[in-house]
Amino acid sequence: MQSLFHNYSWGNSLIVAGEQAYRGLEPERVAGFRAWHEIFQRTVKKGSKAIWILGPVTHKVITKDEETGEEQVAYPLVGWTSVPVFSLSDTEGKPLPDSPCRRLVGEGNSAAQSAVVALIEQEGYSFAISPAFALGGANGLTTKETKSVLVRDDLSSLQTLKTSLHELAHIRLRHLDQVGTSEGICRGEAELQAESVAFCTLSALSLESGDYSFGYVVHWQGGGDEAVKGVKANAQKIASVSDGIITQLEAAGEVQLIDALQASWEAASDQEQALADHYISGQLQAREKAGKEVTGLDRALLRNQALARVREAHQVDREDEKAIREMEEVSRECSQDRQLVLSR
């Protein structure tokens, strides 16, 4: 069902959303007159008013490779034309099936979300949370022309993270350069790859997206058996891109952890730092003699652990000192009582 509805461009989504709002409609699906009739078995009601969007006009160009003599076909964009579409509420007939995708609920991972946004920006794309109506029903939208990634604003933090990863996967897999070309990847395969990468990456973060991802992949592939074939056929590419993103997220998480440990270290007193360094000096020397590399994270963790021991020891010392003072106070009181008795 998802694959049958066209994913409109940013500009067309704005046209549809604006016109539906002007007519007092909630954001809803649109399709052409023939698509409603032939694909969805619904008819456009008499007197319904179309929404006019822009559709691309392409021209078939056949070229021949001078070395191999092989013909190559391309469909370059030569212009735009007005295309009429109709809202779901303007049609009647067979009910549309429920979506197999259940939007995720629950908490995501704020640190991972920040890292994913940073990776998107490293690819040269901007990232923004956008009003839901502006995305035409989609959870996320990546536009090559404006180099932007948009995610709707009414999603849970877990769904937002999943959608952000999905859009990052589209960029990493170079889908925007391929979909719609004569020799490029088909839309269904592109969606399978991107969603599978998002699913694998979330799994590495100990987060689950199966309630959304499984139904999404199955319906973009046209059924369960086809989805299984598609995953098998694309497994290597999915694994490769997932590994790259997961590795970068782990590195980002490591940097954040080091920064947090460093902040804790800098907040300690000079005496605490000196004692902690003394505690770990033997461990560092043993690792160096054994030829083991000591990373920045290793040193930060050792320092943090030693700092905790120092503070624990100081706490014990302070408690011992308090107990001694209390015993001395009791002793003084007893001595005073004894002197008072003797004087009597």
Side-chain angles (χ1 to χ4, degrees):
M1 190 64 207
Q2 180 72 34
S3 65
L4 294 175
F5 280 106
H6 183 66
N7 186 15
Y8 294 99
S9 68
W10 169 243
N12 280 336
S13 294
L14 287 179
I15 292 173
V16 171
E19 185 62 29
Q20 288 180 340
Y22 178 77
R23 298 180 187 185
L25 300 174
E26 293 293 326
E28 60 182 2
R29 296 290 190 179
V30 296
F33 187 93
R34 291 182 60 186
W36 281 124
H37 178 68
E38 296 177 3
I39 301 176
F40 305 108
Q41 299 177 29
R42 296 179 66 86
T43 56
V44 176
K45 299 175 185 177
K46 186 177 180 179
S48 295
K49 186 179 179 181
I51 297 174
W52 292 87
I53 62 174
L54 291 177
V57 177
T58 60
H59 177 66
K60 184 177 181 179
V61 175
I62 301 177
T63 58
K64 183 175 290 187
D65 189 299
E66 296 181 357
E67 295 182 359
T68 64
E70 181 181 355
E71 289 188 346
Q72 298 178 339
V73 181
Y75 296 86
L77 177 70
V78 296
W80 301 88
T81 187
S82 296
V83 178
V85 294
F86 296 87
S87 298
L88 172 62
S89 57
D90 289 326
T91 67
E92 56 188 3
K94 184 178 179 181
L96 296 181
D98 293 333
S99 170
C101 304
R102 295 186 293 277
R103 284 201 180 111
L104 304 174
V105 296
E107 294 299 318
N109 182 313
S110 59
Q113 177 66 36
S114 298
V116 171
V117 171
L119 293 179
I120 289 172
E121 292 173 343
Q122 286 176 19
E123 295 288 342
Y125 284 74
S126 63
F127 179 91
I129 300 296
S130 175
F133 73 85
L135 273 67
N139 290 331
L141 179 67
T142 298
T143 306
K144 180 182 177 182
E145 290 73 20
T146 58
K147 303 287 282 187
S148 63
V149 173
L150 302 175
V151 175
R152 59 190 292 165
D153 62 358
D154 59 351
L155 304 177
S156 69
S157 61
L158 179 56
Q159 180 72 46
T160 296
L161 176 57
K162 201 285 308 172
T163 300
S164 302
L165 283 166
H166 180 103
E167 300 305 322
L168 172 61
H170 275 314
I171 297 171
R172 287 285 178 89
L173 289 158
R174 305 294 179 240
H175 288 159
L176 280 73
D177 298 324
Q178 302 174 46
V179 173
T181 65
S182 60
E183 298 179 0
I185 189 172
C186 73
R187 181 67 188 281
E189 188 175 12
E191 295 300 332
L192 177 145
Q193 291 179 359
E195 189 64 18
S196 297
V197 168
F199 174 83
C200 291
T201 306
L202 279 181
S203 295
L205 296 170
S206 299
L207 296 171
E208 173 60 47
S209 68
D211 282 350
Y212 187 91
S213 298
F214 295 153
Y216 188 89
V217 168
V218 165
H219 278 258
W220 267 108
Q221 290 295 295
D225 292 340
E226 292 302 314
V228 172
K229 292 179 184 177
V231 170
K232 288 181 177 179
N234 290 277
Q236 185 58 48
K237 182 171 289 188
I238 292 167
S240 176
V241 175
S242 298
D243 175 60
I245 295 175
I246 291 168
T247 299
Q248 288 182 298
L249 291 183
E250 288 177 341
E254 183 174 300
V255 169
Q256 290 179 335
L257 178 56
I258 291 175
D259 289 344
L261 293 173
Q262 183 63 25
S264 176
W265 174 258
E266 291 174 356
S269 67
D270 292 342
Q271 183 183 14
E272 288 175 331
Q273 290 181 1
L275 288 170
D277 277 334
H278 176 72
Y279 282 154
I280 67 172
S281 60
Q283 297 180 56
L284 293 175
Q285 291 175 5
R287 291 193 180 196
E288 290 174 0
K289 287 181 179 179
K292 295 181 180 179
E293 180 184 2
V294 179
T295 66
L297 179 59
D298 290 334
R299 186 179 295 274
L301 287 170
L302 286 173
R303 275 182 163 182
N304 187 263
Q305 292 166 2
L307 196 59
R309 293 194 191 99
V310 167
R311 287 172 174 166
E312 183 180 354
H314 280 191
Q315 179 64 28
V316 171
D317 290 343
R318 285 193 292 269
E319 290 175 354
D320 288 345
E321 291 172 1
K322 180 181 178 182
I324 291 171
R325 287 196 299 271
E326 290 176 348
M327 291 173 65
E328 290 175 343
E329 183 65 28
V330 170
S331 178
R332 282 194 296 272
E333 291 176 355
C334 290
S335 178
Q336 291 172 358
D337 291 342
R338 183 171 179 274
Q339 291 295 329
L340 181 60
V341 170
L342 292 175
S343 64
R344 288 177 180 173

